[in-house]
Amino acid sequence: MILFFKDKIIKFNLIGSLLVNILLWVLFYFRIPFQVEPIILRYNIYVGINLIGPWWHIFYFSLAGLGVIFLNFILAKLIYKKNRLLAHFLVFISLICQIILLIEGILLVMMNG
C-alpha cells in the first residue's frame, strides 16, 4: 500500500484528478445561480436541449467525477502489485475523465449563462 502512494505517476494523477474535480465544483457553485427555473443539463446537436432540471442537478456531474476517481483508484490499488501498467492506465483515465467533465461543465455554464 505504501508503494502505491509513493509512485510518482499515481500521486500526480490523484492530485491532478482531485484538483480538476474541485475546480468543477467551484465552477458550478459560483457560475450557476440558485434559481427556481430549470436549467439545461444536456444538449445534443441533433435534437437540441434534451434534458432540463433544477439547478442543483448540475452537481451530479461533479459527484460522478468523484465516483470515477474513487473507483479507479481503488481498482488501481488492488491490482498495483500484479500489474503496474494497468494501475497507471486506470489512474490516468481518471484524470482524463475529470478533464472531459470540466470541459462539459464549462460548456454547460456557457449555455446556462
Side-chain angles (χ1 to χ4, degrees):
M1 181 166 131
I2 302 288
L3 289 175
F4 179 74
F5 289 110
K6 286 192 176 190
D7 190 336
K8 290 181 182 180
I9 295 172
I10 303 286
K11 194 184 303 184
F12 172 77
N13 283 304
L14 176 62
I15 292 170
S17 295
L18 289 174
L19 286 176
V20 172
N21 193 271
I22 289 169
L23 183 62
L24 188 61
W25 283 95
V26 169
L27 174 75
F28 288 153
Y29 183 76
F30 287 112
R31 296 298 304 252
I32 300 295
F34 308 131
Q35 59 190 21
V36 177
E37 298 86 23
I39 63 170
I40 300 168
L41 295 173
R42 187 170 51 208
Y43 181 84
N44 187 327
I45 61 170
Y46 298 114
V47 295
I49 298 169
N50 60 357
L51 182 64
I52 58 171
W55 65 269
W56 53 272
H57 277 191
I58 203 156
F59 290 104
Y60 286 162
F61 295 105
S62 303
L63 194 59
L66 282 177
V68 167
I69 292 172
F70 180 74
L71 182 65
N72 281 359
F73 277 88
I74 293 297
L75 290 174
K77 185 177 168 291
L78 291 174
I79 64 168
Y80 183 74
K81 287 185 179 179
K82 294 178 184 174
N83 192 345
R84 287 188 182 179
L85 181 64
L86 186 57
H88 289 165
F89 183 70
L90 279 170
V91 296
F92 179 70
I93 292 300
S94 179
L95 179 61
I96 295 300
C97 286
Q98 297 307 308
I99 292 170
I100 290 170
L101 281 173
L102 181 64
I103 293 168
E104 180 184 2
I106 291 169
L107 293 173
L108 283 173
V109 166
M110 288 171 50
M111 266 193 283
N112 288 302

